[in-house]
Amino acid sequence: MRFMLAVMMVLASFSSVAKPLSYYFEQDTQFDPTIPTPEEVLGYQVGEWHVRHDQLVRYMEVLADKSDRINFEIIGRTHEQRPLVMLTITAANQLPNIEQTRQAHLARLSNKSSKTKDQPAVVWMGYSVHGNESSGSNASLLVAYYLAAAQGAEIDQLLNNTVILLDPSLNPDGLARFANWANSNRGMNLSSDPKTREHVENWPSSRTNHYWFDLNRDWLLLQHPESRARIAKFHQWKPNILTDFHEMGPNSSYFFQPGIPSRKHPITPDENVTLTKAIANYHAKTLDENNALYFTEESFDDFYYGKGSTYPDVNGGVGILFEQASSRGHIQETINGPLSFAFTIKNQLLTSLSTFNAAIDNRQALLDYQAKFYNQANDLANDENYEGYVVEGASDNTRIKHFLELLKQHQINAYPLTKPLKANGKIFTTNSYFVPLAQPQYRLVKAIFSEQKNFADNTFYDVSGWTLAHAFNLPFTRAKSNWGLNIADAAWNNSLETSFSELKNGYAFAFAWDDYLAPKMLNSLLQQGIKARVALSSLTAKSTSGEVSFEPGSIIIPTGLQTNINWVAQLNKAQNEFGIAIKPITSGLTSKGADLGSRSMAVVSAPKVLLIGGQGASQYEVGEVWYYLDRFVGVAPTIVEMNRLGSLELSNYSHILLAHGNYSSLSDADKVAIKSWVRKGGVIWGHKGGAKFLADQQLLKASYLSRQDVASAFKTTGLSYGDKDHLAGRQRIAGAIFNTNIDLTHPLTFSLKRNTLPVFKNSTWLLEASDAPFVNVLTYTKTPLLAGFADAVNVEQVAGGAGLIAHSYGRGTVIGMTDDPVFRGYWYGTSRLLSNALFFGHTFRANGE
């Protein structure tokens, strides 16, 4: 009897959040009984537990097996090897011919077909790009069930007039982490206290993917397999509508676009906004009928094209952002009363269904708009006063290849120059590329090369400048005419494989430091026990093919130092694996520069990196450092939370890295230990908040301007309360690109060729240039703003300041950088500063005082 009573109490508790299908769907909705409900496959009702990703995938597989309306496809895998799932859904009689439908849809966009009246609209439904915003993915269970099982005229009309691409989880790794967190911290009796553990995740949160990146910022940058797979599928279909389901703070309500009208990107056609507003009426109607609170045209924007709701806008579609107040668990007390997980799921379902209604009613307008968007591209390009962009190649083959690959993934063609071209006073050699405006992706070409600095509304939700060529540190300019422009007939395509001559025994071997993967190749060789040196100055050595010049930073591998009998075979394998030529040297006596036995040939060792994270550190920026080291340097850092630092023996590490964050919670004992470790020979790096910590601890001998110092330079007299937001927008730097002068003779800049280097800045914390000689490695130019918005007051304060300061501390080295060198994984130019610090941070001496 007691057992039965306990069971009844548990069931009663679960029923407070468990909701049957009748809660989610209108009472008169009819379903095919042969199609399993989510509960029949999962074993619980939607909203009762947070669905795990494996359960989500399994349910989609079952639906595809049972329904003749659905194709199930795995389009890729995450870093953690979870499948990225895509369902293609349409009427049963249309599904066998889905490839013909796709090709006909694309044909309209290249003037190959004028037929639109009988063609379906393509609707992409994307859920929960942030793992801990899971109401979207849980709602996708119900959306998929509805599309597979609903019966009647309404669903028939939908399926006959649309192709629906359903992505139930844009971030499987994050969703899996959060489901585990929320489920493992819920009890039989639910707690709605916002402070309970269920509602407050540990660091790092499951918002992010495996490397703690925000995947909703990666649609343009394509650093991660989730994004690359998604963009490939996107361009296979080019959807007319793409939905992006998110969550926001618990004390809000529900948001759907349009966002703030003045904050759309100027390249986005006004018709996009018109269609967005028309679609919004459908969401308002359904939420009105369900007495749900909502808002539009507040917060959020449509400016940065690297988000899910804006990438479609520059690709002929209409992106729609949805934001649901989050229960961040199963139920949470809010200013609007208890907010249940089931309620958040229902709102996401309702606006999914209203999106379908909008797609049916606006099908023709959506199709016509998209066809016009692409078919007018060449005419619009011809109206411009320039032909396109010329981008200088690089001796760094990997960097230019990754840049061109990125363009290719966005359907942008780049053509090699067949003859040198003089443009804007600069000679571009045949190692350069021309990106014409006159191609279907005309608008996206303009967007990724844009250096716009002034905007109608200078307040940004995200970044205001993202010029890709600047991020890759590739010089570029506009080509104003076709005169003298000679290009290959075919666009660049990465089809060439590099082969190298087999290396034999010799006096020594060497390779240049230019290639982006040179640090990774060096680390690989060092890990295999190969002994190496770095040339701190240029030299000319004798080789089997004559004299060969090597720039500072070149890696020298003397035969006399090696103890591994297979070391030459390892060199052969490395040059083919990494695509970097290794040159044989026949004598230690050089014709120019230091001989190979000189003391200027500094020892290089495999770095042992300690990366400090934990509460207070930015999970994004710690993740960016981890990602860069792991993917591009081949270094596995030891990542520890701040509160564990005292348990470590610091002498086990050669480098300590401090990404952006607040490190004030470190104990006094930890701070003393760090200083002692540096003094004994350690290399410590800090950027942004990490550099501030080093300066506060007087490890970094530098002064800085705090955000408050910078803000105080703005005049506030005479301002009214209504000016508050505008002033705040002026005072911040919302992700802009600045230019720096660099000391090309410094070991931290080895491989960089130009005396300027673009950096990404999204903070008003500023290092001041040091008066000490030899320590200012990067300084901002006199007119530093290259792209994006920064108020003139801020630009003036940045000008002449320090971008990177490096000096000795005892036998060790301290390096502080004002900005994030590995921002979102795509800043290929500045990231080399970090890898240089790992391998060469011990090779220079400079007094910081």
Side-chain angles (χ1 to χ4, degrees), residues 101 177 206 296 355 420 471 720 737:
T101 301
R177 290 206 309 275
S206 49
T296 66
T355 299
S720 65
I737 300 172

Side-chain angles (χ1 to χ4, degrees), residues 621 624-625 658-660 685-691 733 736-740 757-767 778-780 798 801-805 816-823 827 830-831 833-834:
E621 298 202 19
E624 289 161 2
V625 173
L658 302 173
H660 180 52
W685 166 290
H687 61 257
K688 295 173 65 176
I733 296 177
I737 300 172
F738 284 71
N739 206 12
T740 63
L757 178 67
V759 300
F760 185 84
K761 176 172 286 298
N762 60 356
S763 167
T764 54
W765 183 83
L766 303 174
L767 272 170
L778 270 68
T779 53
Y780 293 98
V798 171
L804 188 147
I805 292 175
M817 186 169 179
T818 310
D819 305 300
D820 179 359
V822 288
F823 179 71
W827 273 81
T830 50
S831 58
L833 299 168
L834 181 55

Side-chain angles (χ1 to χ4, degrees), residues 194-209:
K195 300 300 183 183
T196 193
R197 179 176 167 84
E198 180 185 357
H199 301 135
V200 184
E201 287 184 87
N202 281 343
W203 186 99
S205 78
S206 49
R207 172 185 176 89
T208 52
N209 78 337

Side-chain angles (χ1 to χ4, degrees), residues 31 94 115 119 136 178 335 384 404 494 513 588 724 750 817:
F31 294 100
Q94 296 176 175
K115 181 181 178 183
Q119 290 191 349
F178 187 66
I335 61 172
E384 299 282 358
L404 295 169
N494 184 30
W513 193 244
K724 182 180 178 183
F750 284 169
M817 186 169 179

Side-chain angles (χ1 to χ4, degrees), residues 253-439:
S253 58
Y254 196 89
F255 169 85
F256 53 86
Q257 285 178 315
I260 298 175
S262 59
R263 297 185 194 169
K264 84 169 182 69
H265 198 290
I267 291 175
T268 302
D270 291 339
E271 295 158 89
N272 175 283
V273 178
T274 301
L275 285 166
T276 302
K277 289 182 176 180
I279 293 168
N281 292 325
Y282 292 80
H283 308 318
K285 181 176 183 293
T286 193
L287 293 175
D288 285 345
E289 290 170 350
N290 285 269
N291 298 317
L293 296 174
Y294 59 87
F295 63 97
T296 66
E297 297 188 317
E298 294 180 39
S299 191
F300 309 109
D301 64 35
D302 282 326
F303 186 79
Y304 171 51
Y305 282 136
K307 296 188 296 183
S309 60
T310 47
Y311 186 77
D313 295 346
V314 77
N315 283 280
V318 178
I320 307 290
L321 171 68
F322 298 97
E323 295 272 356
Q324 165 63 51
S326 179
S327 63
R328 284 292 191 273
H330 292 85
I331 191 167
Q332 184 168 169
E333 193 62 44
T334 75
I335 61 172
N336 297 315
L339 178 63
S340 72
F341 188 38
F343 178 82
T344 68
I345 293 169
K346 182 175 182 179
N347 274 352
Q348 306 283 41
L349 170 65
L350 289 173
T351 51
S352 296
L353 299 179
S354 61
T355 299
F356 297 151
N357 292 333
I360 294 170
D361 292 350
N362 293 276
R363 181 182 61 86
Q364 194 63 53
L366 289 163
L367 293 171
D368 290 346
Y369 166 70
Q370 187 180 49
K372 178 182 176 183
F373 183 96
Y374 282 106
N375 293 331
Q376 287 187 342
N378 283 349
D379 291 338
L380 293 172
N382 291 333
D383 290 339
E384 299 282 358
N385 61 1
Y386 64 105
E387 298 297 320
Y389 298 90
V390 186
V391 182
E392 185 177 283
S395 54
D396 177 354
N397 294 326
T398 298
R399 184 160 46 99
I400 188 66
K401 184 185 81 168
H402 282 204
F403 175 75
L404 295 169
E405 284 176 341
L406 185 54
L407 297 186
K408 201 72 171 177
Q409 290 174 87
H410 291 297
Q411 309 286 294
I412 294 173
N413 289 322
Y415 297 83
L417 296 190
T418 56
K419 290 184 179 179
L421 174 71
K422 185 175 182 180
N424 288 344
K426 177 177 173 58
I427 299 295
F428 289 84
T429 68
T430 53
N431 194 30
S432 302
Y433 298 85
F434 175 62
V435 183
L437 285 178
Q439 55 181 309

